[in-house]
Amino acid sequence: MSELNTGDSIEELKVTPDKYVPHRYAGATGDFNPIHIDPEFAKMVGLPGSILHGLYVMGLVAKASAGAAGGDPRALKSLSVQFRGMSFPEQEIAVTGEVSEVEGDRVTVDVVAAQGENQVIRNATAVLEIPPN
């Protein structure tokens, strides 16, 4: 596991969800809201098309944060996010972060998830517990 210091950037996570991700996510979670899986319904209610589930993107934030702890999801002790925009299948999502505080084995990381210039999750804070090597 690498040592993290205040101001360090975490490794960027880039994911391009395919057009079937909302369907698989709906099946896994039981959230079959048609704005996620029916592009025509989504357009009918004023959206540009099907949108990703916000918790799917939050999962990417969690994955990127855990990546800073060597990929061990048990290191992620808390995660808070603000959903600030819609995200869409077949467009790259980039998750970036910067260490804002290190106190003992606790590391706080400020994280953002964006599709292009659209920050779909921001003001996210991940707290990791990274035991010393």
Side-chain angles (χ1 to χ4, degrees):
M1 227 171 290
S2 64
E3 184 175 317
L4 295 171
N5 298 297
T6 301
D8 287 350
S9 295
I10 64 170
E11 185 175 339
E12 183 177 38
L13 173 66
K14 289 185 175 183
V15 174
T16 303
D18 66 55
K19 65 182 179 181
Y20 299 111
V21 162
H23 298 271
R24 291 192 301 272
Y25 191 86
T29 64
D31 180 355
F32 289 94
N33 186 326
I35 62 172
H36 301 298
I37 56 176
D38 183 342
E40 296 307 315
F41 179 85
K43 289 176 185 171
M44 189 174 67
V45 297
L47 299 172
S50 297
I51 62 172
L52 294 170
H53 295 78
L55 291 179
Y56 168 79
V57 182
M58 183 178 173
L60 297 178
V61 170
K63 182 177 182 178
S65 299
D72 183 355
R74 296 172 298 179
L76 182 60
K77 297 304 177 190
S78 70
L79 177 65
S80 65
V81 305
Q82 290 183 0
F83 298 101
R84 304 302 265 178
M86 295 181 284
S87 54
F88 303 93
E90 300 183 286
Q91 296 180 27
E92 184 177 76
I93 298 170
V95 182
T96 57
E98 182 178 305
V99 175
S100 60
E101 183 179 352
V102 177
E103 187 174 322
D105 60 355
R106 292 249 168 182
V107 176
T108 304
V109 183
D110 296 332
V111 190
V112 171
Q115 279 189 319
E117 297 300 315
N118 181 23
Q119 293 184 346
V120 295
I121 289 181
R122 60 182 157 173
N123 298 325
T125 302
V127 176
L128 306 168
E129 188 174 276
I130 304 174
N133 292 329

